[in-house]
Amino acid sequence: MFSPLFFPSFSSIAGSLAAFATFSVSEEAFLSWGWRVTFLASAVMAVMGLVIRFTITESPDFEKVEGTHRDQRLPIVTVPAGRGCVHRHQGRAVPADRPPEPPVIAALFTELFSAEVRYSGASLGYQIGSVLGGGLAPTVAAALYANWGSSAPISLYLTAATLLSLLCVVAITRKVRTAA
């Protein structure tokens, strides 16, 4: 329904519009009525979110889990223990007359986990990756630059991180295809 780039693009546009609206009115107008505009816009976005949520159908895997009541009460414990991984639980059946489809990263990442913990597993992995990749990278880059006085070590660090990511994707792809 929406492109994966829709929401980041939309939030950028919405932020720009909010900034434009804020800075284009006088301070007096902003203090009297302008500050309410963002709340009204958030109400519109909440309605949009509800419409999207109630019109999207669940995946067949999740509907099966919901019907059997096999949902996990503590997915935060199940996911790190590896009990929700596809290679140990369930895979996606691929017809024998055609080869597996090339993986799309988002779909590949969610297929690592069984339907019982899919959302929690994908979310936990994404959040840990954001903290480690996004949080540590500037600190490491600053330390490398301070130590070497050049951006070359930063480039090597980023190249190594990219190669490690590529190796992980290859390993995950093999694991998911083996389980299928």
Side-chain angles (χ1 to χ4, degrees), residues 2 30 37 53-54 60 62 78 80 87 95 104-105 111 113-114 119 122 137 142 144 146 165:
F2 293 105
F30 180 77
V37 173
R53 172 64 189 107
F54 290 124
F62 185 76
T78 305
H87 66 277
V104 176
I105 296 298
E111 286 182 13
F113 305 98
S114 65
Y119 183 79
L144 287 171
S165 298

Side-chain angles (χ1 to χ4, degrees), residues 33-156:
W33 60 268
W35 63 271
R36 294 180 178 100
V37 173
T38 54
F39 292 104
L40 293 173
S42 71
V44 170
M45 290 174 48
V47 169
M48 285 174 50
L50 286 172
V51 167
I52 291 170
R53 172 64 189 107
F54 290 124
T55 56
I56 291 178
T57 59
E58 296 293 350
S59 69
D61 287 344
F62 185 76
E63 286 179 353
K64 280 186 221 173
V65 169
E66 197 172 43
T68 61
H69 300 291
R70 290 185 314 169
D71 57 333
Q72 298 291 322
R73 294 292 169 214
L74 290 172
I76 192 77
V77 174
T78 305
V79 170
R83 291 189 298 248
C85 294
V86 165
H87 66 277
R88 294 188 189 183
H89 251 313
Q90 68 186 51
R92 182 172 52 104
V94 177
D97 61 342
R98 69 183 173 120
E101 298 172 9
V104 176
I105 296 298
L108 180 66
F109 196 64
T110 57
E111 286 182 13
L112 283 174
F113 305 98
S114 65
E116 294 92 349
V117 294
R118 185 166 292 155
Y119 183 79
S120 299
S123 178
L124 187 63
Y126 177 80
Q127 298 305 326
I128 290 172
S130 295
V131 168
L132 294 179
L136 292 179
T139 305
V140 171
L144 287 171
Y145 189 81
N147 191 33
W148 296 91
S150 168
S151 62
I154 299 170
S155 298
L156 291 174

